[in-house]
């Protein structure tokens, strides 16, 4: 119920707050939308790798042992654990990987080993496609933390 002489509506402050929220949401979404289809595909592949690496780390902690993530950049494949299925990278994605020399059974395979305390041998996998900026999935050797770096 409004008093006499007042009209229903929004104040200038309320409208400014709504506009500010919309501007912040657009500001956060634009970088992701601007990456294009190549960038979005790289983001999806990187997110899948992060999930797989974190699972291997969790397996090592849960089993109170060691677990190994293997990537073969030239063959364009990876395996999350020694008994897991072999996975393929998408056709147009260029893969580069770095790992500890002790985890390179051959010059074509690179391993990242996780230990029972959550630490790892460390390493990283870089993904590139087309004109999109590359994405790197990094594994910290001291903490075993897995993260995406752009």
């Amino acid at each position: 119920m409004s008093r006499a002489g007042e009209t229903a509506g929004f104040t200038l402050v309320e409208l400014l707050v709504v506009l500010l929220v919309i501007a912040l949401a657009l500001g956060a979404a634009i970088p992701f939308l601007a990456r294009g289809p190549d960038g979005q595909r790289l983001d999806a592949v990187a997110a899948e790798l992060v999930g797989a690496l974190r699972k291997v780390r969790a397996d090592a902690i849960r089993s109170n042992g060691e677990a190994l993530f293997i990537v073969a950049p030239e063959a364009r494949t990876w395996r999350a654990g020694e008994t897991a299925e072999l996975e393929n990278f998408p056709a147009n994605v260029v893969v580069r990987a770095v790992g500890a020399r002790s985890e390179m059974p051959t010059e074509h395979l690179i391993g990242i080993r996780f230990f029972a305390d959550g630490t790892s041998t460390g390493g990283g996998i870089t993904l590139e496609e087309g004109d999109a900026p590359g994405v790197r999935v990094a594994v910290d050797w001291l903490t075993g933390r897995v993260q995406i770096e752009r």
Side-chain angles (χ1 to χ4, degrees), residues 69-73 77-79 89 95 97 108-112 124-125:
F69 182 93
I70 299 171
V71 62
T77 60
W78 56 274
R79 184 185 310 261
F89 287 100
V95 181
H108 304 290
L109 294 177
I110 295 163
I112 300 173
I125 303 164

Side-chain angles (χ1 to χ4, degrees), residues 85-116:
E85 288 186 35
L86 200 60
E87 303 284 343
N88 294 308
F89 287 100
N92 297 331
V93 175
V94 176
V95 181
R96 293 184 180 83
V98 199
R101 185 175 302 277
S102 62
E103 298 304 328
M104 299 170 100
T106 72
E107 64 182 75
H108 304 290
L109 294 177
I110 295 163
I112 300 173
R113 186 174 302 276
F114 291 92
F115 302 102

